[in-house]
């Protein structure tokens, strides 16, 4: 590794510690919520090493909260387990520590605690970075006063004492590492068997594979060692093609780190969770449990509704696709060298997973099944539990009609809508760029600041493939995650809702026709109607044209309110009369009302034999606990009474049990997808994001059979480069095809990936 790369890697400390300071300042960290403790008095200590805070974006705050809290829970749980075992002493070794102030936080928290277990703490990083760290500590009174007195060594680049040591050591020099640890009072002697905890937070990934292997093997030489590893992984995207196993997020992530001169060298060798697990086993570790961050968050960091509600109140947040992608690509590993859980050898080795009650959850088949856990989000070394291979779900080959039906289309847009009127499709709004910026690699766009909410309308000709972009001055304001529903006769489109800024949500209704464009008078009729109640502004909802009691209505389901809460009310807009009606939920047997969801999909199923239409609602995110759902509901809206009686309106939902053909596997949870009806009981589900694991490319497209309650995968050729998140789809009945336009995602500040061209699938 050259000097420039070393310096670039050291620079990642600044980014990381600044992000953690952002958490502390905004109140994410638990210690900021101790009754009577203000942010200024918080024992988190980040404020002392980052004197000039910078507010990070909400998604970076969320991801760093999960990262920071997971390390905190494991460290404190390990110490408590040592104390519960009555151990005389234990040691924590933080490799690649940067400016992490964990030692000072622990010392503050343990001041008034009566503990008989002596804690040694060692911080290790590049010598030049340790010089900077010690300079900061010595010039900050609070930190300086927490340093142990009478150190055996105290100079510019090194501090050694009986309870705390700060060592400048290059991890590639294992002889120097061993010497430094012995100097700090930590030996590999099997006679002493002092438990040690090694913490490595995004450190080994920057090393050459053989160098990071040597570090893992080195610490396996300690008889009672626990290793906490947090870094990146590459979830399996295509299990049948190792050469083309990269999801667009992974490709973008690799390019980012290479561009910043901090390439993820070890990650090229060890990609999946199983690769990392096998690695620990090969180099002498007895046990190893690895969970991706989505699963660890669900089980430990934010397991309750109250946990989610507390975080949601801190700042507006809506980048769920990005957050769950990040959670699929980062993991927590906990490995130990002590006797395994099935061993009869007596041990006093601390089991932190047992202490934080994670091991019990991971050994409960029902919990794993309910949370849709497989080897892409959890794996382990053990002999007591065997993981069955994932059953194969049948698939059907389908074909593109034209892989690029719009040859001149080149857009960077997501969160938009597409509607078909005659021989033309109209794309409105969304977030991204108008087709004016052309990049060297048009799929990758770096400058997030130039992306914005769009107010343009893009007209696509369905036969010639030509297009034109227009902006109507008196049309709808720029917005994203709105809805657009086409009337049953195909003459007009009704647009509702969407958001502009993070908390600026619209509740207007617009009518669009090919002849007259956007109709602002129709909007005025709706919003100025004094006698009718109207829904609050919504985004990430769905809207469908449904026939109810012989009347055509636009039914609005789910979505998010301006407050960020999920909407559980159902509204219907009467197309002929131009007013809103509210349909309350009918509860049976005192069951709770339907909980609010968003980022779901919905399609209309036509009523048979005089029955009213119904909605099929699929997936989404439940607002109360931000859980990604795999559920399918049939929603019916009912009206009783006639013109002489007061009408009674209500809505009911019945869950449909859906299993894979042959294997009986349940649907994977997903959100951010679209769905379309392609027959009386056939629905195609397209794209989306899953959790806790990543959607593999074979799972991107699904055909749902309602009457049979089954599903199977759809596999067109060459689909891997499509993100299919935040895209828009519509059925072109005239040409018997499904068309899709746009979509993409931002990859944690690494860059953005766009589906820049349209596509069409044969029905």
């Amino acid at each position: 590794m050259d000097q420039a790369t070393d310096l670039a890697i050291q620079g990642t400390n600044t980014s990381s510690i600044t992000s953690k300071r952002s958490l502390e300042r905004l109140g994410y960290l638990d210690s900021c919520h101790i009754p009577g403790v203000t942010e200024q008095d918080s024992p988190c200590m980040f404020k002392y090493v980052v004197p000039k805070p910078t507010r990070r974006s909400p998604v970076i705050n969320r991801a760093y909260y999960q990262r920071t809290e997971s390390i905190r829970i494991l460290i404190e749980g390990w110490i408590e387990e040592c104390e519960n075992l009555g151990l005389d002493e234990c040691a924590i070794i933080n490799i690649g520590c940067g400016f992490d102030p964990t030692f000072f936080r622990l010392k503050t928290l343990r001041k008034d605690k009566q503990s008989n277990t002596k804690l040694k703490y060692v911080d290790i990083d590049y010598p030049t970075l340790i010089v900077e760290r010690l300079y900061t500590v010595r010039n900050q009174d609070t930190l300086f006063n927490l340093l142990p007195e009478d150190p055996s060594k105290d100079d510019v680049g090194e501090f050694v004492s009986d309870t705390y040591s700060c060592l400048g050591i290059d991890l590639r020099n294992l002889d120097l590492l061993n010497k430094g640890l012995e100097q700090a009072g930590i030996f590999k002697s099997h006679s002493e068997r002092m438990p040690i905890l090694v913490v490595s937070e995004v450190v080994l990934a920057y090393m050459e594979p053989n160098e990071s292997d040597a570090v893992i093997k080195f610490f396996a030489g300690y008889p009672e060692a626990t290793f906490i590893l947090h870094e990146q992984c590459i979830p399996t995207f295509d299990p049948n093609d190792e050469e083309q196993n990269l999801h667009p997020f992974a490709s973008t992530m690799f390019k980012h780190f290479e561009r910043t001169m901090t390439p993820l060298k070890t990650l090229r060798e060890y990609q999946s969770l199983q690769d990392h697990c096998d690695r620990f086993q090969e180099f002498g570790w007895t046990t190893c449990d690895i969970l991706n961050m989505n699963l660890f968050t669900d089980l430990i960091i934010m397991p309750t509704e109250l946990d989610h509600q507390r975080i949601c109140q801190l700042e507006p947040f809506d980048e769920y696709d990005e957050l769950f992608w990040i959670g699929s690509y980062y993991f927590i590993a906990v490995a130990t060298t002590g006797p395994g859980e099935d061993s009869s050898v007596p041990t006093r080795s601390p089991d932190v997973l047992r202490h934080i009650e994670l091991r019990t959850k991971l050994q409960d088949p029902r919990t794993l099944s309910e949370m849709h856990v497989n080897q892409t989000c959890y794996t382990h070394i053990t002999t007591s539990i065997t993981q069955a291979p994932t059953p194969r779900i049948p698939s059907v080959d389908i074909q593109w009609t034209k892989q690029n039906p719009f040859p001149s289309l080149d857009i960077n847009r997501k969160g938009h809508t597409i509607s078909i009127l005659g021989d033309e499709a109209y794309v409105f709004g969304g977030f991204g760029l108008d087709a004016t910026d052309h990049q060297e690699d048009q799929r990758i766009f770096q400058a997030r600041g130039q992306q914005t909410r769009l107010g343009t309308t893009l007209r696509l000709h369905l036969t010639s493939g030509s297009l034109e972009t227009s902006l109507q001055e008196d049309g709808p304001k720029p917005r994203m995650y709105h809805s657009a529903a086409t009337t049953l006769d195909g003459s007009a489109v009704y647009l509702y809702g969407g958001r502009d800024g993070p908390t600026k949500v619209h509740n207007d209704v617009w009518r669009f026709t090919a002849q007259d464009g956007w109709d602002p008078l129709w909007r005025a009729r709706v919003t100025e109607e004094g006698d009718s109640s109207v829904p609050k502004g919504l985004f990430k909802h769905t809207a469908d044209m449904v026939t109810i009691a012989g009347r055509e209505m636009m039914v609005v389901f789910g979505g998010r309110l301006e407050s960020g809460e999920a909407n559980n009310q159902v509204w219907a807009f009467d197309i002929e009369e131009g007013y809103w009606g509210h349909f309350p939920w009918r509860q049976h047997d005192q069951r709770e009302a339907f909980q609010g969801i968003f980022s779901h999909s919905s399609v209309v199923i036509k009523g048979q034999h005089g029955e009213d239409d119904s909605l099929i609602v699929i997936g989404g995110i439940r607002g109360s606990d931000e859980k990604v759902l795999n559920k399918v509901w049939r929603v019916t809206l009912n009206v009783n009474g006639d013109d002489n009686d007061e009408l009674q309106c209500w809505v009911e939902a019945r869950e449909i049990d859906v299993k894979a053909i042959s294997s009986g596997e349940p649907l994977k949870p997903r959100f951010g997808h679209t769905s379309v009806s392609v027959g009386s009981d056939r629905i195609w589900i397209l794209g989306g994001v899953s959790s806790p694991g990543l959607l593999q490319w074979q799972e991107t497209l699904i055909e749902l059979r309602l009457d049979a309650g089954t599903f199977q995968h759809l596999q067109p050729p060459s689909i891997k480069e499509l993100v299919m998140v935040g895209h828009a789809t519509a059925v072109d009945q005239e040409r018997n095809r499904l068309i899709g336009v746009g979509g993409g995602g931002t990859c944690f500040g690494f860059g953005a990936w766009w589906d820049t061209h349209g596509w069409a699938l044969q029905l």
Side-chain angles (χ1 to χ4, degrees), residues 92-112:
I92 296 176
I93 304 166
N94 187 7
I95 60 175
C97 62
F99 282 13
D100 177 56
T102 296
F103 163 75
F104 302 99
R105 176 175 60 82
L106 291 175
K107 186 165 184 180
T108 301
L109 295 175
R110 287 166 60 87
K111 269 184 177 180
D112 301 324

Side-chain angles (χ1 to χ4, degrees), residues 154-169:
D154 184 5
D155 59 31
V156 173
E158 196 170 34
F159 184 93
V160 179
S161 74
D162 188 40
T163 56
Y164 178 65
S165 298
C166 190
L167 309 175
I169 298 172

